[in-house]
Amino acid sequence: MYNRRMAAEERPLEWIGSSHRDLMALPADVRQFFGYALSLAQAGDQHDAAKVLRGFGSAGVLEVIENDADGTYRAVYTVRFEEAVFVLHCFQKKSKRGIATPKKDMDIICARLKIAEAFAKRVRNEDTQS
């Protein structure tokens, strides 16, 4: 059930780097699935398909995986910062070997997480100075 109080407490969604453009390039059904998962994260909930992305030390970085006829897609986001839900990376997993996230994509996620952290700190500092 939707209520106004929940909407008032919803965290904003911030796109880091090309994550929004990359999401928009994915198939429509995948975009819809990821959009729903991200809206749950904004409301402080978690989609059943969301899981912790290994390598980041805590439950603050999550990924959602969706498959369709053309392949496997992933959206990676962080709820580590209370200022916003930051979308770090959206991509199609092209490797046919294993389920591990490719190093190139992990490097992108790491770099964008640092950008998100700096953004969150800046917002936090602006709020305390107001």
Side-chain angles (χ1 to χ4, degrees), residues 75-106:
V76 179
Y77 62 96
T78 184
V79 294
R80 186 178 286 179
F81 312 107
E82 63 185 50
E83 289 77 13
V85 173
F86 292 92
V87 183
L88 303 174
H89 195 28
C90 298
F91 62 102
Q92 180 177 10
K93 184 175 179 298
K94 300 194 180 195
S95 171
K96 301 297 180 197
R97 265 188 275 143
I99 60 170
T101 304
K103 181 180 177 350
K104 178 187 107 183
D105 293 301
M106 289 298 283

Side-chain angles (χ1 to χ4, degrees), residues 35-46:
Y36 179 63
L38 291 170
S39 70
L40 287 175
Q42 286 181 273
D45 204 353
Q46 184 174 311

Side-chain angles (χ1 to χ4, degrees), residues 2 8 14 18 26 40 43-44 51 54 63 70 82-83 94-95 100 107 110 114 123:
Y2 180 83
E14 295 290 339
S18 64
L26 301 180
L40 287 175
K51 65 178 189 168
R54 292 182 189 199
E63 71 176 332
D70 294 326
E82 63 185 50
E83 289 77 13
K94 300 194 180 195
S95 171
D107 291 345
C110 285
K114 289 177 184 173
V123 168

Side-chain angles (χ1 to χ4, degrees), residues 2-55:
Y2 180 83
N3 66 44
R4 290 179 196 262
R5 181 176 166 198
M6 188 170 120
E9 295 174 3
E10 187 173 276
R11 287 197 279 175
L13 194 61
E14 295 290 339
W15 303 89
I16 305 297
S18 64
S19 59
H20 186 259
R21 184 174 56 248
D22 297 339
L23 175 72
M24 297 312 290
L26 301 180
D29 58 329
V30 174
R31 287 194 317 261
Q32 184 176 11
F33 182 81
F34 288 164
Y36 179 63
L38 291 170
S39 70
L40 287 175
Q42 286 181 273
D45 204 353
Q46 184 174 311
H47 193 283
D48 290 341
K51 65 178 189 168
V52 174
L53 182 61
R54 292 182 189 199

